Amino acid sequence: AGEHLRRAARSVSVRDRRDFSFAVFDGQGRLVANAPHVPVHLGAMGETVRDLLTHAPDPEGRAWLTNDPAAGGSHLPDLTVMTPFVHDGVRFVVASRAHHADVGGSTPGSMPPFAAHRDEEGAVWRRVPLTDPDGRPRDLAAVVAPSRQPEVVADDLRAQIAANAFAIEALVKLGPGALLARRMAQRLATGPHVVARLAARLRPGRAATLIDGVPLVVAVRPEGHRLVVDLTGTGGPHPGNRNAPKGVVRAVLLYVLRVLAADDTPLHEGLLDGVTLRIPPNSLVDPPDDAAVAGGNVETSQALADLMMAALDVRAAGQGTMNNLTIGGEGWSLYETLGGGSGAREGADGLSGLQVHMTNTHATDPEIVERRLPLRLKRFALRRDTGGAGRWRGGDGVVRTWELLAPATAACLASRRDTGAPGAHGGGSGGVGAQHLRRSGTTIAWDGAPVRLSPGDLVEVCSPGGGGWGAPPAEAQPTGYATPVEPT
């Protein structure tokens, strides 16, 4: 179904960058199965599905739209389409979440770096029917009218509706409804056993960092056959957009549990049945409904994954950011996330140029960028020696440079620009990231705030390296650097 969605989609974001996820849920809205798509989507979607099943009367047979962070949404451009259905008297749900080209807000691409209120980030929809009771689509362009590209968004929504329908047909062919429900329940029931095995071999730990001065704290400890994950001590809410909705926190936890399981356990919400999760209310990780959240989904989620790994002493920090770049002009926009260095661990170097932790998207192919958008990709390369030194080195970041061929507005939402990814056990920190503009041969440091660009201007983003693990050999010197490469 995910591949069906990709092929049917129109936007670069979905079709080429593959910024989407697809999943199957039981009748209570619990995640049961999914393809290996985007972790920050998958772990949060169950909350969105449960909101629909709880509040929408007779939801079956229609496709529904939600992006509200208060209902399990991640950030506003991520639109979730849900289709509940009944098979042999048993309810199931299929759902897809995709990052759309634009949903309004103060900047093209709907990812303003310095938003302080949710309204600046775009439009909010919650339990909006996209099809009539007989399954026919509504006027979707009218539904998403706040977008700067409503037809593109509407086409991608049609692709999501079609992918959901395709999945329903495939599920019905698997067998009677009662049999499907029983198999789903059996899978979910394995979760506490997986967590119990983890609890038996993990040691308690605590890790903390600051998100623009706001504390983010994670303590993890085994308690019998369970794990307790406690975010008490976390401050907030963040005055800007680094707030992470509770659905994002659950997504991070589910991802970390799946990684630590180190076997073929599939990602499913039964894993959370073995965990006590404590989230302080009215905080960075449980913000008010009107709080800005774009950075919470893409940046705070990465920091939280690093902290959980650090608390359990299993991996040095990775690049800790998605390096979110948006460039858009009249009738077009590009949103890209950049890979960087992953953190090293005992016995293994970090990987370079990797989409770490909570993202799993592609870099847009140069041919696609140049054929469909008024942009020219000038450079895409590894930033050598930006991984932290250590017995096992952190992975290197990347550099990517675009030339504008038409007027546009650009913005960049990113982290690890002042300090690098921490190493572990004596390992060095990774090199920091940066972004610049180049105009008339002059390179200008850029903080990522929205800026108007002209044809011929260059935009460059340099992603951070990952932290090293273990003290480096005596003859080795840390080589992670903070000075970005010169744009070409």
Side-chain angles (χ1 to χ4, degrees):
E3 181 62 15
H4 190 92
L5 168 56
R6 186 191 70 80
R7 291 180 179 182
R10 175 179 173 184
S11 72
V12 170
S13 180
V14 179
R15 188 178 184 90
D16 302 296
R17 287 187 53 252
R18 305 190 184 194
D19 196 343
F20 66 86
S21 298
F22 194 94
V24 176
F25 302 81
D26 68 5
Q28 288 72 51
R30 288 157 54 87
L31 174 68
V32 176
N34 56 268
H37 289 144
V38 181
V40 79
H41 290 169
L42 294 168
M45 289 170 69
E47 188 173 330
T48 308
V49 172
R50 290 188 288 275
D51 175 77
L52 174 69
L53 297 181
T54 300
H55 297 289
D58 302 321
E60 291 82 6
R62 305 181 76 173
W64 301 80
L65 168 66
T66 290
N67 70 338
D68 191 343
S74 32
H75 58 184
L76 300 190
D78 284 344
L79 304 186
T80 303
V81 176
M82 302 160 282
T83 310
F85 69 100
V86 174
H87 174 41
D88 292 339
V90 183
R91 172 195 278 169
F92 305 96
V93 185
V94 295
S96 52
R97 178 169 291 184
H99 186 107
H100 285 253
D102 188 279
V103 292
S106 61
T107 60
S110 309
M111 291 285 291
F114 300 114
H117 192 276
R118 191 178 67 179
D119 291 347
E120 299 174 63
E121 297 180 329
V124 177
W125 296 276
R126 186 165 180 173
R127 301 189 302 270
V128 176
L130 297 180
T131 58
D132 295 331
D134 59 5
R136 289 181 300 179
R138 299 173 57 196
D139 182 352
L140 299 183
V143 173
V144 295
S147 169
R148 294 174 178 84
Q149 302 176 66
E151 293 296 340
V152 175
V153 174
D155 282 347
D156 281 358
L157 287 175
R158 292 185 187 97
Q160 290 180 257
I161 294 169
N164 287 8
F166 175 85
I168 291 171
E169 291 181 6
L171 284 169
V172 168
K173 291 177 182 177
L174 290 179
L179 177 62
L180 290 180
R182 186 164 64 251
R183 288 177 176 172
M184 289 181 178
Q186 289 169 346
R187 169 170 287 190
L188 294 169
T190 65
H193 302 288
V194 174
V195 175
R197 292 196 296 270
L198 287 175
R201 63 180 175 84
L202 294 175
R203 292 178 294 180
R206 182 180 185 274
T209 190
L210 293 175
I211 306 295
D212 296 336
V214 180
L216 177 60
V217 180
V218 178
V220 184
R221 68 177 185 274
E223 200 170 83
H225 297 299
R226 299 179 62 80
L227 282 177
V228 176
V229 179
D230 192 349
L231 278 66
T232 300
T234 295
H238 188 272
N241 67 5
R242 302 301 175 102
N243 298 290
K246 286 192 295 184
V248 169
V249 177
R250 288 171 59 89
V252 175
L253 175 56
L254 192 55
Y255 158 79
V256 170
L257 292 173
R258 173 62 188 86
V259 170
L260 295 180
D263 57 24
D264 59 357
T265 297
L267 186 76
H268 62 80
E269 282 195 277
L271 294 169
L272 298 181
D273 291 342
V275 179
T276 301
L277 176 60
R278 295 173 181 160
I279 301 176
N282 194 38
S283 68
L284 177 72
V285 289
D286 183 15
D289 288 352
D290 61 353
V293 297
N297 177 62
V298 294
E299 301 299 293
T300 304
S301 69
Q302 297 281 66
L304 190 54
D306 273 338
L307 288 183
M308 288 187 185
M309 298 287 190
L312 294 168
D313 197 27
V314 294
R315 182 180 288 275
Q319 68 160 340
T321 178
M322 297 189 196
N323 304 287
N324 307 267
L325 177 71
T326 53
I327 308 176
E330 186 64 35
W332 66 276
S333 67
L334 172 73
Y335 169 60
E336 286 211 318
T337 60
L338 270 68
S342 70
R345 59 181 173 85
E346 185 174 10
D349 293 340
L351 299 178
S352 299
L354 183 74
Q355 295 278 8
V356 303
H357 290 329
M358 302 310 297
T359 181
N360 188 30
T361 57
H362 288 211
T364 314
D365 291 339
E367 296 82 1
I368 298 296
V369 171
E370 296 180 2
R371 187 175 76 240
R372 299 188 61 179
L373 302 170
L375 295 168
R376 181 178 292 120
L377 188 64
K378 301 289 286 185
R379 189 178 188 188
F380 188 29
L382 290 176
R383 300 176 68 206
R384 297 294 182 184
D385 296 327
T386 50
R391 183 176 181 185
W392 293 282
R393 293 189 56 83
D396 292 333
V398 303
V399 55
R400 193 161 163 99
T401 309
W402 297 259
E403 179 183 4
L404 275 292
L405 304 181
T409 296
C412 188
L413 174 59
S415 304
R416 297 246 200 261
R417 268 40 186 176
D418 298 317
T419 57
H425 293 270
S429 296
V432 300
Q435 54 273 339
H436 342 62
L437 308 172
R438 188 169 184 176
R439 290 168 161 165
S440 303
T442 300
T443 301
I444 305 167
W446 178 36
D447 65 358
V451 60
R452 290 288 299 168
L453 301 172
S454 300
D457 290 346
L458 298 180
V459 176
E460 179 173 87
V461 178
C462 303
S463 68
W469 182 285
E475 66 275 10
Q477 297 296 321
T479 53
Y481 60 84
T483 304
V485 297
E486 182 73 8
T488 54

